[in-house]
Amino acid sequence: MPAVVLVGAQWGDEGKGKATDLLGGSVDYVVRYQGGNNAGHTVVIGSESYALHLLPSGILSPGCIPVIGNGVVVDPAVLLAEIDALQQRGVDCSRLLLSADAHLIAPYHATIDKVSERFLGNARIGTTGRGIGPAYGDKVARLGVRVQDLFDEKILRQKVEGALEQKNHLLVKVYNRRAITVDEVVDSFASHAERLRPLVADTSLVLNAALDAGRRVLLEGSQGTLLDVDHGSYPFVTSSNPTAGGACSGSGIGPTRIDRVVGILKAYTTRVGSGPFPTELHDEWGQRLRRVGHEVGVTTGRDRRCGWFDAVVARYATRVNGFTDLFLTKLDVLTGIERIPVCVGYDIGGQRTDHMPMTQTDFHHARPVYQELPGWDEDISATRGLDELPRRAREYVAAIEELAGAPVSAVGVGPGRDETIVVRPLI
């Protein structure tokens, strides 16, 4: 049975949690393959709303096994707190698996994240300050601590000593902060070891065995394509690979085991944090999209920057991910707008381009070229078939499909689990 990948097609916050939750009842495993608790998914089930950060959305689907893959960086205290909060609300978290190879976020990572961001001043990136970037930096520098190290105190201590030998010079001599002791870090990690032990597994082995046995596996990226460290709007990106290629390295599943890549695409565009955003609106339309769409970051609590749909970004995401399907979310937010602008290209210094600019400079100077599409006034939240949508709403979906270069297989018409039009099954 092939695996399916869900990827955000913009700057994150596209509604991946809703998409994953929708498919959770049809799959056996849901895998987070990158990111950390700098990401957030909101899942609405009936009158209940769940904000997930580290946990895969499949945690809310009975019978589905949620997996935190090796590509994720994990703050043990945050993970256990999230599990406790869900269990207090009656959610069973006993099925959760955590990769032994996932890297840990240490207390010094969060400290360095915050002080270095302040040190950058006006050049700051907009990090969440949760230590994700420094943890990935240590992973690449081979100074990281992994989940499996929690269960061998000798190795754990050696790795923490090696990391702090470098980090304390930075904290004390550059940032004028106190040195962090090896004991406080080791004790912090060790205090969580026994609670985490039952969750830890060779998740690559588990997932490949599941695929061999005909089980269905859904791979869930956090953030979005334009936040990918290689393919995003660098340097205003995350420190990992949310794109479809990252699903393989972050889970231990080979690329030949994946046959569908679903791009999650909001009917307009948003982003959190700093960096270029060609269609960003600083007027009443931006305020309207933010208000009606409830555009506040799940993890950060920051207002999201809002703009009209950007087809250049959508085409780029389709190209680098190889989307086979699109899940268009929040179409209902556009209801009541008489004429809806859609960015179909960029003007850069008087030259028109329909593709993502090659350089950071050109992207910074890109100005949107708009085409207006007619809007609709009818409430679409109760529609469950594409043919039930108002004609102009159907035309908007068709235009997005053509501009993005991949078929729309599902449309979100409200925040609820059941407020979705399924055009063709995604599983």
Side-chain angles (χ1 to χ4, degrees), residues 110-169:
T111 301
I112 289 171
D113 201 1
K114 292 171 184 174
V115 297
S116 61
E117 183 77 348
R118 286 198 294 270
F119 190 79
L120 288 171
N122 291 334
R124 62 186 178 273
I125 294 168
T127 173
T128 59
R130 287 165 169 78
I132 282 80
Y136 275 116
D138 275 3
K139 175 180 178 177
V140 174
R142 293 164 299 210
L143 290 170
V145 179
R146 297 189 291 178
V147 169
Q148 59 183 276
D149 300 327
L150 293 174
F151 312 113
D152 187 322
E153 189 172 340
K154 182 179 179 181
I155 289 178
L156 176 61
R157 184 170 291 276
Q158 287 175 348
K159 290 191 173 184
V160 172
E161 285 175 349
L164 281 179
E165 186 176 353
Q166 183 185 87
K167 299 293 184 296
N168 277 332
H169 284 292

Coordinates of all heavy atoms in Angstrom, one line a residue, residues 110-169:
A110 N 16.7 26.9 23.4 CA 15.7 27.9 23.5 C 16.4 29.3 23.9 O 16.0 30.3 23.4 CB 14.6 27.5 24.5
T111 N 17.3 29.2 24.8 CA 18.0 30.4 25.3 C 18.8 31.1 24.2 O 18.6 32.3 24.0 CB 19.0 30.0 26.4 OG1 18.3 29.4 27.5 CG2 19.7 31.3 26.9
I112 N 19.5 30.3 23.4 CA 20.3 30.8 22.3 C 19.3 31.4 21.2 O 19.6 32.4 20.6 CB 21.2 29.8 21.7 CG1 22.4 29.5 22.7 CG2 21.8 30.2 20.3 CD1 23.2 28.3 22.3
D113 N 18.2 30.7 21.0 CA 17.2 31.1 20.0 C 16.7 32.5 20.3 O 16.7 33.4 19.5 CB 16.1 30.1 20.0 CG 15.3 30.2 18.7 OD1 15.6 31.0 17.8 OD2 14.3 29.4 18.5
K114 N 16.4 32.7 21.6 CA 15.8 34.0 22.0 C 16.8 35.2 22.0 O 16.6 36.2 21.4 CB 15.2 33.9 23.4 CG 14.0 33.0 23.4 CD 13.5 32.7 24.8 CE 12.3 31.8 24.8 NZ 12.0 31.4 26.2
V115 N 18.0 34.9 22.5 CA 19.0 36.0 22.6 C 19.6 36.3 21.3 O 19.9 37.5 21.0 CB 20.1 35.7 23.6 CG1 19.5 35.5 25.0 CG2 20.9 34.4 23.3
S116 N 19.8 35.3 20.4 CA 20.3 35.6 19.1 C 19.3 36.4 18.2 O 19.7 37.3 17.5 CB 20.7 34.3 18.4 OG 19.6 33.5 18.2
E117 N 18.0 36.1 18.4 CA 17.0 36.9 17.7 C 17.0 38.3 18.1 O 16.9 39.2 17.3 CB 15.6 36.2 17.9 CG 14.5 36.8 17.1 CD 14.4 36.5 15.6 OE1 15.4 35.9 15.1 OE2 13.4 36.8 15.0
R118 N 17.1 38.6 19.4 CA 17.2 39.9 19.9 C 18.4 40.6 19.4 O 18.4 41.8 19.1 CB 17.1 40.0 21.4 CG 15.7 39.7 22.0 CD 15.6 40.1 23.4 NE 16.5 39.4 24.3 CZ 16.1 38.2 25.0 NH1 14.9 37.8 24.8 NH2 16.9 37.6 25.8
F119 N 19.5 39.9 19.3 CA 20.8 40.4 18.9 C 20.7 40.9 17.5 O 21.4 41.9 17.1 CB 21.9 39.3 19.1 CG 23.3 39.8 18.9 CD1 23.9 40.5 19.9 CD2 24.0 39.6 17.7 CE1 25.2 40.9 19.8 CE2 25.3 40.0 17.6 CZ 25.9 40.7 18.6
L120 N 19.9 40.3 16.6 CA 19.8 40.6 15.2 C 19.0 41.9 15.0 O 19.2 42.6 14.0 CB 19.0 39.5 14.5 CG 19.8 38.2 14.2 CD1 18.9 37.1 13.7 CD2 21.0 38.4 13.3
G121 N 18.2 42.4 16.0 CA 17.5 43.6 15.9 C 16.6 43.7 14.7 O 15.8 42.8 14.5
N122 N 16.7 44.7 13.8 CA 15.8 44.8 12.7 C 16.0 43.7 11.6 O 15.2 43.6 10.8 CB 16.1 46.2 12.0 CG 15.6 47.3 12.9 OD1 14.7 47.2 13.7 ND2 16.2 48.5 12.7
A123 N 17.1 43.0 11.7 CA 17.4 41.9 10.8 C 16.8 40.6 11.3 O 17.1 39.5 10.7 CB 18.9 41.8 10.5
R124 N 16.1 40.6 12.4 CA 15.6 39.3 13.0 C 14.7 38.6 12.0 O 14.0 39.2 11.1 CB 14.8 39.6 14.3 CG 13.6 40.5 14.1 CD 13.0 40.8 15.5 NE 11.8 41.7 15.4 CZ 11.9 43.0 15.3 NH1 13.1 43.6 15.4 NH2 10.8 43.8 15.2
I125 N 14.6 37.3 12.2 CA 13.9 36.4 11.2 C 12.5 36.2 11.6 O 11.6 36.0 10.7 CB 14.6 35.0 11.2 CG1 16.0 35.2 10.6 CG2 13.9 34.0 10.4 CD1 16.9 34.0 10.7
G126 N 12.1 36.4 12.9 CA 10.8 36.1 13.3 C 10.6 34.7 13.9 O 9.5 34.2 13.8
T127 N 11.7 34.2 14.4 CA 11.6 32.8 15.0 C 10.6 32.8 16.2 O 10.4 33.9 16.8 CB 13.0 32.4 15.5 OG1 12.9 31.2 16.2 CG2 13.6 33.4 16.4
T128 N 10.1 31.6 16.5 CA 9.2 31.5 17.7 C 10.0 31.5 19.0 O 9.4 31.5 20.1 CB 8.4 30.2 17.6 OG1 9.3 29.1 17.5 CG2 7.6 30.2 16.3
G129 N 11.3 31.3 19.0 CA 12.1 31.3 20.2 C 12.0 30.1 21.0 O 12.4 30.0 22.2
R130 N 11.6 29.0 20.3 CA 11.5 27.7 21.0 C 12.6 26.8 20.9 O 12.6 25.6 21.3 CB 10.2 27.0 20.6 CG 8.9 27.7 21.1 CD 7.7 27.3 20.4 NE 6.5 27.7 21.1 CZ 6.0 29.0 21.1 NH1 6.6 29.9 20.3 NH2 4.9 29.3 21.7
G131 N 13.7 27.2 20.3 CA 14.9 26.4 20.2 C 15.0 25.5 19.0 O 15.9 24.7 18.9
I132 N 14.1 25.6 18.1 CA 14.0 24.7 16.9 C 15.2 24.9 16.0 O 15.9 23.9 15.7 CB 12.7 24.8 16.1 CG1 11.6 24.1 16.9 CG2 12.8 24.2 14.8 CD1 10.9 24.9 18.0
G133 N 15.5 26.1 15.6 CA 16.7 26.3 14.7 C 18.0 25.9 15.3 O 18.7 25.2 14.7
P134 N 18.3 26.3 16.6 CA 19.5 25.8 17.2 C 19.6 24.3 17.3 O 20.7 23.7 17.2 CB 19.5 26.5 18.5 CG 18.8 27.8 18.3 CD 17.7 27.4 17.3
A135 N 18.5 23.7 17.6 CA 18.5 22.2 17.7 C 18.8 21.6 16.3 O 19.7 20.6 16.3 CB 17.1 21.7 18.2
Y136 N 18.2 22.1 15.3 CA 18.6 21.6 13.9 C 20.1 21.9 13.6 O 20.7 21.1 12.9 CB 17.7 22.1 12.9 CG 16.4 21.4 12.7 CD1 15.1 22.0 13.0 CD2 16.4 20.1 12.2 CE1 14.0 21.3 12.9 CE2 15.2 19.4 12.1 CZ 14.0 20.0 12.4 OH 12.8 19.3 12.2
G137 N 20.5 23.1 14.0 CA 21.9 23.5 13.8 C 22.9 22.5 14.4 O 23.9 22.0 13.8
D138 N 22.6 22.1 15.7 CA 23.4 21.1 16.4 C 23.3 19.7 15.7 O 24.3 19.0 15.6 CB 23.0 21.0 17.8 CG 23.7 22.0 18.7 OD1 24.4 22.8 18.2 OD2 23.4 22.0 19.9
K139 N 22.1 19.4 15.2 CA 22.0 18.1 14.4 C 22.9 18.1 13.2 O 23.7 17.1 13.0 CB 20.5 18.0 14.0 CG 20.3 16.7 13.1 CD 18.8 16.7 12.7 CE 18.5 15.5 11.8 NZ 17.1 15.4 11.5
V140 N 23.0 19.1 12.5 CA 23.8 19.2 11.3 C 25.3 19.2 11.7 O 26.2 18.7 11.0 CB 23.4 20.4 10.4 CG1 24.4 20.5 9.2 CG2 22.0 20.2 9.9
A141 N 25.6 19.9 12.8 CA 27.0 20.1 13.3 C 27.4 18.8 14.0 O 28.6 18.8 14.5 CB 27.1 21.3 14.1
R142 N 26.6 17.8 14.2 CA 26.9 16.6 14.9 C 27.1 16.8 16.4 O 27.9 16.1 17.0 CB 28.0 15.8 14.2 CG 27.7 15.3 12.8 CD 28.9 15.0 12.0 NE 29.7 16.1 11.8 CZ 30.5 16.3 10.8 NH1 30.5 15.4 9.8 NH2 31.3 17.3 10.7
L143 N 26.4 17.8 16.9 CA 26.5 18.1 18.3 C 25.1 17.8 19.0 O 24.9 18.2 20.2 CB 26.8 19.5 18.6 CG 28.3 20.0 18.2 CD1 28.4 21.5 18.3 CD2 29.3 19.3 19.2
G144 N 24.2 17.1 18.3 CA 22.9 16.9 18.8 C 22.8 15.8 19.8 O 23.6 14.9 19.9
V145 N 21.6 15.9 20.5 CA 21.3 14.8 21.5 C 20.0 14.2 21.0 O 19.0 14.9 20.6 CB 21.0 15.4 22.9 CG1 20.6 14.3 23.9 CG2 22.3 16.1 23.4
R146 N 19.9 12.8 20.9 CA 18.8 12.2 20.3 C 17.9 11.5 21.4 O 18.4 11.3 22.5 CB 19.2 11.1 19.3 CG 19.9 11.7 18.1 CD 20.1 10.7 17.0 NE 21.1 9.7 17.3 CZ 21.4 8.7 16.5 NH1 20.9 8.6 15.4 NH2 22.3 7.8 16.9
V147 N 16.7 11.2 21.1 CA 15.8 10.5 22.0 C 16.5 9.3 22.7 O 16.4 9.1 23.9 CB 14.5 10.2 21.4 CG1 13.6 9.3 22.3 CG2 13.7 11.4 21.0
Q148 N 17.1 8.5 21.8 CA 17.7 7.3 22.3 C 18.8 7.5 23.4 O 19.1 6.7 24.3 CB 18.3 6.4 21.2 CG 19.4 7.2 20.4 CD 19.9 6.4 19.2 OE1 20.8 5.6 19.4 NE2 19.3 6.6 18.1
D149 N 19.4 8.7 23.4 CA 20.4 9.0 24.3 C 19.9 9.2 25.8 O 20.7 9.2 26.7 CB 21.2 10.3 23.9 CG 21.8 10.2 22.6 OD1 22.3 9.1 22.2 OD2 21.9 11.2 21.8
L150 N 18.6 9.4 25.9 CA 18.0 9.5 27.2 C 18.2 8.3 28.1 O 18.2 8.4 29.3 CB 16.5 9.8 27.1 CG 16.1 11.2 26.5 CD1 14.6 11.2 26.3 CD2 16.6 12.3 27.4
F151 N 18.4 7.2 27.4 CA 18.4 5.9 28.1 C 19.8 5.4 28.3 O 20.0 4.2 28.7 CB 17.5 4.9 27.4 CG 16.2 5.5 27.0 CD1 15.9 5.7 25.7 CD2 15.3 5.8 28.0 CE1 14.7 6.2 25.3 CE2 14.1 6.4 27.7 CZ 13.8 6.6 26.3
D152 N 20.8 6.2 28.1 CA 22.2 5.9 28.4 C 22.8 7.1 29.0 O 23.3 8.0 28.2 CB 23.0 5.4 27.1 CG 24.3 4.9 27.5 OD1 25.0 5.4 28.3 OD2 24.8 3.9 26.8
E153 N 22.9 7.2 30.3 CA 23.3 8.5 30.9 C 24.7 8.8 30.6 O 25.1 10.0 30.5 CB 23.1 8.4 32.4 CG 23.3 9.8 33.1 CD 23.0 9.8 34.6 OE1 22.2 8.9 35.0 OE2 23.4 10.7 35.2
K154 N 25.6 7.8 30.4 CA 27.0 8.1 30.0 C 27.1 8.9 28.7 O 27.7 9.9 28.6 CB 27.8 6.8 30.0 CG 29.3 7.1 29.7 CD 30.0 5.7 29.7 CE 31.5 6.0 29.4 NZ 32.3 4.7 29.4
I155 N 26.4 8.3 27.7 CA 26.4 9.0 26.4 C 25.7 10.3 26.4 O 26.1 11.3 25.9 CB 25.7 8.1 25.3 CG1 26.5 6.8 25.0 CG2 25.3 8.8 24.1 CD1 25.9 5.9 24.1
L156 N 24.6 10.4 27.2 CA 23.8 11.7 27.3 C 24.8 12.7 27.9 O 24.8 13.9 27.4 CB 22.6 11.4 28.2 CG 21.8 12.7 28.5 CD1 21.2 13.3 27.3 CD2 20.7 12.4 29.5
R157 N 25.5 12.4 29.0 CA 26.3 13.4 29.6 C 27.5 13.8 28.6 O 27.8 15.0 28.5 CB 26.9 12.8 30.9 CG 27.8 13.8 31.7 CD 28.1 13.2 33.1 NE 26.9 13.2 33.9 CZ 26.4 14.2 34.6 NH1 27.1 15.4 34.6 NH2 25.3 14.1 35.3
Q158 N 28.1 12.8 27.9 CA 29.1 13.2 27.0 C 28.7 14.1 25.9 O 29.4 15.1 25.6 CB 29.7 11.9 26.3 CG 30.5 11.0 27.2 CD 30.9 9.7 26.6 OE1 30.4 9.3 25.5 NE2 31.8 9.0 27.2
K159 N 27.5 13.9 25.4 CA 27.0 14.7 24.3 C 26.6 16.1 24.8 O 26.9 17.1 24.1 CB 25.7 14.1 23.7 CG 26.1 12.9 22.8 CD 24.9 12.4 22.0 CE 25.4 11.2 21.1 NZ 24.3 10.8 20.2
V160 N 26.0 16.2 26.0 CA 25.7 17.5 26.6 C 27.0 18.3 26.9 O 27.1 19.5 26.6 CB 24.8 17.4 27.8 CG1 24.7 18.7 28.5 CG2 23.5 16.8 27.5
E161 N 28.0 17.6 27.4 CA 29.3 18.3 27.7 C 29.9 18.8 26.4 O 30.4 20.0 26.4 CB 30.3 17.3 28.3 CG 30.0 17.0 29.8 CD 30.9 15.9 30.3 OE1 31.6 15.2 29.5 OE2 30.9 15.7 31.6
G162 N 29.8 18.0 25.3 CA 30.4 18.5 24.0 C 29.7 19.7 23.5 O 30.3 20.6 22.9
A163 N 28.4 19.7 23.6 CA 27.6 20.8 23.1 C 27.8 22.1 24.0 O 28.0 23.2 23.5 CB 26.1 20.5 23.1
L164 N 27.8 21.9 25.3 CA 28.0 23.1 26.2 C 29.4 23.7 26.2 O 29.5 24.9 26.5 CB 27.6 22.7 27.6 CG 26.1 22.7 27.9 CD1 25.8 22.3 29.3 CD2 25.4 24.0 27.6
E165 N 30.4 22.9 25.8 CA 31.7 23.4 25.7 C 31.8 24.6 24.7 O 32.5 25.6 24.9 CB 32.7 22.3 25.3 CG 34.1 22.8 25.4 CD 35.1 21.6 25.0 OE1 34.6 20.5 24.9 OE2 36.3 21.9 24.9
Q166 N 31.0 24.5 23.7 CA 30.9 25.5 22.7 C 29.8 26.5 23.0 O 30.1 27.7 22.9 CB 30.5 24.8 21.3 CG 30.5 25.7 20.1 CD 30.0 25.0 18.9 OE1 28.8 24.9 18.6 NE2 31.0 24.5 18.1
K167 N 28.7 26.1 23.5 CA 27.5 27.0 23.7 C 27.8 28.0 24.8 O 27.4 29.1 24.8 CB 26.3 26.2 24.1 CG 25.8 25.2 23.0 CD 25.3 26.0 21.8 CE 24.8 25.0 20.7 NZ 25.8 24.1 20.2
N168 N 28.5 27.6 25.9 CA 28.7 28.5 27.0 C 29.6 29.6 26.6 O 29.5 30.7 27.1 CB 29.3 27.7 28.2 CG 28.1 27.1 29.0 OD1 27.0 27.5 29.0 ND2 28.5 26.0 29.7
H169 N 30.6 29.4 25.8 CA 31.4 30.5 25.3 C 30.5 31.5 24.6 O 30.7 32.8 24.8 CB 32.5 30.0 24.3 CG 33.6 29.3 25.0 ND1 34.5 30.0 25.8 CD2 34.0 28.0 25.0 CE1 35.4 29.1 26.2 NE2 35.1 27.9 25.8

